[in-house]
Amino acid sequence: MKKILLSIVVAASSIAANAQVAVEESKFLDNWSLGIQGGVFEPTVGQNVFKTMRAGVNVEIAKQISPVFGISANYFAGINANNATPTSYVFWGKENAWGDVTPKTAFDFGNLGANALINLHNLFYGYKGQPRAFELVARAGAGWGYIMGNCYPQGEGSDAYNTVTANFGLDFNVNVGKAKALSVNVKPAISFWDVAAGLHANKSNLQLLAGLTYHFKNANGLHYFKTYNVGEMQATIDRLNAELAKKPKEVIKEVEVIKEVEKPVEVVKTVKETTQLAPVVIFQLGKSTVDASQRPSVAMIATYMKNHPTSKVAVYGYASPEGNAELNQKLSDARAKAVYDMLVNTYKISPERLSHKGLGVTDELFDENDWNRVATFIEESK
């Protein structure tokens, strides 16, 4: 109990220490991996260890939902033992008692499983922005196992045998290379082959697999989750907002309307007041997608508009001076549209209360060109 309490304290301390660090939101196609392993297995009890040991292969596709939790699907297959004897050809409770046989398939049994994965290092010590050189992962899962009927000679035991299985194990992963795209795996596990009858040691196999896992590249260009410091990002946003506040603001727009009357032409001027709202949304070079780190600024505008139900806001997109002017105009349009879509689709602001427009290149909002890749908010009525 003391060890459990100590583990909880360590985990809580780790979470508190990393409270200012957030993981960037990933897409469905991010953080997938493919692993191939080979190794040996044998009955857990009641057999001679070396006499009953057999070879097997494993293929696994995994999806990491967060730095801590993941899911996977795997297929484990036993390789045929060509000259099986009554004492060496035993698995899942089915014993071949016919002496020497010549199996008809390359694999004589298989197990298709689904697993839950927990990265113990990230759970207890926090995610540091990239995989560690060594990580320990716990796994548990269930599956469907079957013995192929045509592995047996005609007669008793020739029909396929199906069963529900369960698997528990650990993955010892060594992440290699600067990009951390490849992992070397060692996977000890115990597999129970008749779950309906209970988790009994005499109805189980011990497994030891080793192999490689490749982690596919994500939309962020990395092979793993990207993090950002919330405190530093907020400080940057506050600094940009403060600098923007010092810039001259266009608060009055004059529209000339020519009114035809019998008298000489009279020019009537209407005055429309607008207000620059503080938050800005910063974009990466050449990008028009709203990063997870910029969502708080959009959320602030959504909250403001919900608190002021009659307000109408225009979203203006900008691009920094680098590059082709025509492309930058399209980029500024796309940035304004991306923020507009997020307000409408994510935060459910009525489209009638919003407008969007790209204003092209600017170098006047901020002194740093990199900071002029933004979307700003103008309140046209309150």
Side-chain angles (χ1 to χ4, degrees), residues 90-94 109-111 145-147 161 163 165 191 193 205:
V90 179
F91 46 87
W92 291 342
K94 302 289 285 186
F109 80 95
N111 183 66
Y146 63 98
I147 297 173
Y161 172 65
T163 183
T165 64
S191 177
W193 48 259
N205 290 326

Side-chain angles (χ1 to χ4, degrees), residues 297-307 343 347-349:
S297 294
V298 183
M300 289 172 62
I301 296 298
T303 301
Y304 177 84
M305 295 188 73
K306 290 176 181 178
N307 291 338
L343 286 168
Y347 296 102
K348 308 306 178 185
I349 303 299

Side-chain angles (χ1 to χ4, degrees), residues 22-25 127 129 218 220 222 224-228 284:
V23 178
E24 187 175 272
E25 183 179 3
Y127 180 60
N218 301 331
N220 61 17
L222 304 174
Y224 47 83
F225 286 95
K226 183 179 180 181
T227 60
Y228 60 92
Q284 297 183 25

Side-chain angles (χ1 to χ4, degrees), residues 278-350:
V280 296
V281 178
I282 308 170
F283 293 85
Q284 297 183 25
L285 179 63
K287 303 293 184 181
S288 60
T289 55
V290 180
D291 288 345
S293 59
Q294 299 302 307
R295 280 177 172 261
S297 294
V298 183
M300 289 172 62
I301 296 298
T303 301
Y304 177 84
M305 295 188 73
K306 290 176 181 178
N307 291 338
H308 300 81
T310 61
S311 64
K312 293 186 177 181
V313 173
V315 183
Y316 293 134
Y318 296 90
S320 53
E322 304 92 347
N324 179 277
E326 182 179 354
L327 291 178
N328 278 329
Q329 177 61 50
K330 293 180 179 178
L331 189 58
S332 68
D333 290 334
R335 287 169 176 169
K337 182 65 163 56
V339 175
Y340 169 90
D341 288 342
M342 181 172 288
L343 286 168
V344 172
N345 299 327
T346 303
Y347 296 102
K348 308 306 178 185
I349 303 299
S350 172

